[in-house]
Every structure is written in C-alpha cells, then in structure tokens.
Amino acid sequence: MASTNHFQCMFLALLFVLGVFSSQASSRLFNEQTMLERHEQWMAHHGRVYKDVKEKDIRFQIFKENVERINAFNEGVDRGYKLSVNQFADQTNEEFRASRNGYKRQSIEVMSVSKPTTFRYANVTVVPKVLNRGIGYLKKGAVTPVKDQGQCGCCWAFSAVASMEGINQLKTGKLVSLSEQEIVDCDVKAVDQGCYGGLIDSAFQFIKQNKGLTTEANYPYVGQDGTCNSKKAATPAAKITGYEDVPSNKEKALLQAVANHPVSVAIEASGYNFQFYSSGIFTGTCGTNLDHGVTAVGYGAIANGTKYWLIKNSWGSGWGENGYIRMKKDIAAKEGLCGIAMKASYPIV
Ligand SMILES: *[C@@H]1O[C@H](CO)[C@@H](O)[C@H](O)[C@H]1NC(C)=O
Ligand SMILES: *[C@@H]1O[C@H](CO)[C@@H](O)[C@H](O)[C@H]1NC(C)=O
C-alpha cells in the first residue's frame, strides 16, 4: 500500500513536472511569437528593411534583448525616468554609440583648441526660477524644431548650431534654422572630421572665420560627409564674433549662462539608458567620458523639488520627450550628471 502510494505520488509529481515544462515551453514559444510580431510591427512603423533573412535574424535577436532590457528597467525600481522601445531598438549600444556620438575630447582638445576665454556672466546673480526655451516654445522661442543627425557622428555641429540659432534669435528676434551640413563639409581642420567627430569650440572658430553660416534651407542636411559647396557657404544668414567657455565643473556657472541663452554642452551619452530614454528626469547611469554634444535650453524643477536641465538633442523628435531630455541638475559631483558642467560653451555675437 505504502509503496503504491509512493508510486502514485512520484507519478503525479512527474506529471506535474512535465506539465510545468510543457507550459514553460509553450509560453516561451508564445513569447517568441509575440516578439517576432512586435519586431515586424516595429519595422513597419520605422520603415526598417533588412537586406536578407540573416540580417533580419541578427537584428531580431538584438531587438528582443533590448525589449527585455527596457521592460525589466521600467518594471524595476523607480529611477524617476522611463525607457521606451524607440527607433534605435535594433541596435546594440556599441553600434549606436559608434554611429551617433561624435564628440572628441581630452588630448586633441587640450592641444588644439582650449584657450582661456572670459566669462561674461560671472557676476549674474538674478536668474529666472524656471526657464523653458524648448518644449512648447518651438514657434515663438529661440529654439528650432528638433533635428535628426541620422547615422553620422556630427553631434558637435548640431550642438554648435543650436546655441548659435538661439543667440541669433535673441539678438535679432528672428528664428532662423542654420546649416549643420556647411560645418560638416567645409570645416575641415584636423580636429573636425564631419561624421567622424569634432569639437564644438572648433566649430565656433570655423563659423567665425567663415563669416557666418547659411540657412538649413540653402544648405540642407544630408547626413554624410561631402565636399564644401563654397558658393552656398558664401551666403551667410547669421554671424558670430567668437565664443566663450563656461568655467568648468560649476553647475552654477552653467546656470548663469543658460539663463541668458542656449548653451552647447558635452556629455557622456553612452549607456543603454540614454539610448532608450523616454521620459522623466534622467539620473544616469553615465560617467564623465564626454562623447556627445547637445544643447542646454532651459531648466526647472518637478513638484517634489528635483531640479533638471532641459536639453535639446539631435536624434529626432521620436527620442525622449519630443527629442528633449531632462537631466538631473545640481548633483553632488562637481562635473554634473554625465559631465554636463565640464565643457560648456556658447558663441558671442
Ligand atoms: C521626486 O520624484 C521623482 C519622480 O517621481 C523620484 O524619482 C524622486 O526620487 C523624487 N525625489 C525626492 C527627493 O523625493
Ligand atoms: C565681476 O565683478 C568683479 C568685481 O566687481 C569685476 O572685477 C569683474 O570684472 C566682473 N566680471 C564680469 C565678467 O563682469
């Protein structure tokens, strides 16, 4: 009797185990199927076409890992921001960084560009509590609609142009979209290499020497390196007389400048969390290995007092908050979040 019971018990346990296995297997199959459908929908939505089945399979695996990573983040501990399955979901972070970030730093910069400049806002004491020159102010403000650099590492040109557009608008009252492609094609100093990276201050030097920049409409962005169209480059729509650097590692100094106009900033934008940032106050993770140029166009605080910088990016309006990111402001480290206070500058007119 006892042994029969024992046998029955084993048998039932075996059935149970088999049942669990098969339901796990079928739910895995189901998940795979759902994920395949999700990838197809994502491809259709973003107009993505792969050259063959092999490429599609590779991209699907990356897509799947990214979706799982994004879901795990969003369902995990609340970090104050969310991620989303955006247009970059079929790229690994390495691929993404290689094709997007193009800010060069350190040695070359120290050797060829950095020289002390004055800081005209050093004595600014009164600044607006909240400032938004970006989201919701696109039509009347100092900031043009979010642009998309595509798969070209010329963030540095977009960053320089965005702060120049802002300063030009604040001076003339006219918001004119200016040409990044002119910088990519015509600024051919050793440190500035179009889609292969460059420096923001060096772009300002070029713009000054070139006697200004023409409009986006006249010299449109094509997202790859080309030869300089000197005829178009000779019809400037806005000029600058030079540039100034914000004193490094002082978010307070950055505030003094941003209170006056948009400011070009360099950040480390290297992680998955940045690639898939969707909304909220970004709090990392990132270091201070500056690799991306963006533009600070405002600042503010949410209801519970958490302060942020309002940053215009150049990855299209499908990324982040309509193309913007709010990054935590006034953190303990003097470099600021992702090094935002390390290498900020702006043109002067
Ligand atoms: C403020 O709110 C954000 C978003 O909900 C949250 O992540 C953060 O921890 C809060 N900060 C404080 C100091 O309560
Ligand atoms: C700031 O104030 C100090 C003291 O009055 C003055 O020496 C300095 O030139 C001022 N700096 C600027 C940038 O205006």
Side-chain angles (χ1 to χ4, degrees):
M1 207 45 196
S3 76
T4 315
N5 274 346
H6 186 67
F7 174 79
Q8 278 175 341
C9 180
M10 291 276 284
F11 183 69
L12 284 175
L14 186 65
L15 269 184
F16 176 75
V17 167
L18 281 174
V20 168
F21 270 146
S22 75
S23 90
Q24 272 183 355
S26 70
S27 100
R28 211 175 297 131
L29 258 178
F30 175 76
N31 286 343
E32 190 81 357
Q33 188 56 34
T34 315
M35 196 65 89
L36 276 167
E37 280 164 17
R38 190 151 179 204
H39 185 223
E40 290 286 350
Q41 283 163 4
W42 177 90
M43 283 173 65
H45 182 72
H46 295 287
R48 193 76 90 254
V49 180
Y50 301 119
K51 67 176 194 298
D52 54 31
V53 175
K54 194 167 156 245
E55 173 73 6
K56 186 173 173 186
D57 190 50
I58 292 169
R59 291 295 142 199
F60 170 69
Q61 291 305 331
I62 296 168
F63 177 84
K64 189 176 141 199
E65 274 169 36
N66 282 335
V67 170
E68 285 165 356
R69 181 179 278 121
I70 290 162
N71 288 345
F73 179 90
N74 288 341
E75 286 156 17
V77 182
D78 181 9
R79 308 260 175 219
Y81 66 102
K82 294 290 176 197
L83 308 182
S84 72
V85 181
N86 61 21
Q87 70 270 41
F88 308 128
D90 69 344
Q91 293 174 39
T92 66
N93 189 242
E94 290 70 31
E95 291 172 323
F96 182 72
R97 273 152 52 192
S99 70
R100 295 267 158 177
N101 301 352
Y103 178 80
K104 292 187 187 169
R105 72 189 289 262
Q106 291 171 339
S107 50
I108 7 170
E109 177 143 24
V110 172
M111 285 184 321
S112 59
V113 185
S114 279
K115 52 179 182 225
T117 62
T118 53
F119 181 52
R120 63 185 53 203
Y121 305 117
N123 295 335
V124 168
T125 50
V126 182
V127 300
K129 213 162 172 248
V130 174
L131 181 67
N132 179 354
R133 299 192 198 273
I135 303 165
Y137 286 74
L138 299 181
K139 287 204 173 66
K140 56 180 178 177
V143 181
T144 59
V146 169
K147 303 183 185 185
D148 190 351
Q149 68 186 80
Q151 298 214 354
C152 163
C154 65
C155 58
W156 56 283
F158 279 86
S159 169
V161 165
S163 59
M164 180 174 167
E165 287 169 344
I167 284 165
N168 185 53
Q169 193 277 340
L170 291 164
K171 183 188 165 209
T172 66
K174 285 190 200 125
L175 183 60
V176 182
S177 185
L178 299 169
S179 173
E180 292 81 14
Q181 194 65 43
E182 180 178 351
I183 301 177
V184 170
D185 292 353
C186 306
D187 178 10
V188 290
K189 290 191 290 290
V191 290
D192 293 338
Q193 298 177 343
C195 292
Y196 294 92
L199 297 173
I200 295 162
D201 282 358
S202 181
F204 290 144
Q205 286 180 347
F206 162 79
I207 297 167
K208 182 187 172 191
Q209 280 155 15
N210 189 55
K211 299 187 168 51
L213 274 187
T214 192
T215 60
E216 185 85 66
N218 186 41
Y219 203 148
Y221 187 64
V222 294
Q224 56 188 45
D225 293 316
T227 30
C228 180
N229 184 327
S230 45
K231 216 170 136 188
K232 287 185 172 180
T235 53
K239 294 180 191 218
I240 63 173
T241 56
Y243 68 93
E244 285 179 356
D245 292 331
V246 177
S248 292
N249 301 331
K250 289 190 186 95
E251 285 194 80
K252 190 173 156 271
L254 185 56
L255 176 65
Q256 289 171 317
V258 176
N260 282 279
H261 49 66
V263 172
S264 296
V265 292
I267 55 172
E268 180 183 311
S270 58
Y272 279 107
N273 292 0
F274 206 93
Q275 181 176 352
F276 299 120
Y277 166 80
S278 151
S279 63
I281 315 288
F282 187 73
T283 51
T285 39
C286 50
T288 57
N289 192 6
L290 308 178
D291 62 1
H292 189 46
V294 289
T295 313
V297 300
Y299 52 85
I302 57 172
N304 72 8
T306 303
K307 295 187 205 160
Y308 62 83
W309 292 111
L310 179 61
I311 303 296
K312 185 192 191 194
N313 199 356
S314 52
W315 293 348
S317 56
W319 179 88
E321 297 181 329
N322 301 308
Y324 289 81
I325 181 171
R326 286 180 293 164
M327 292 176 64
K328 192 163 190 219
K329 178 173 170 286
D330 295 343
I331 67 164
K334 64 184 189 333
E335 295 84 2
L337 187 68
C338 311
I340 194 169
M342 292 170 73
K343 197 69 194 75
S345 58
Y346 50 87
I348 48 178
V349 290

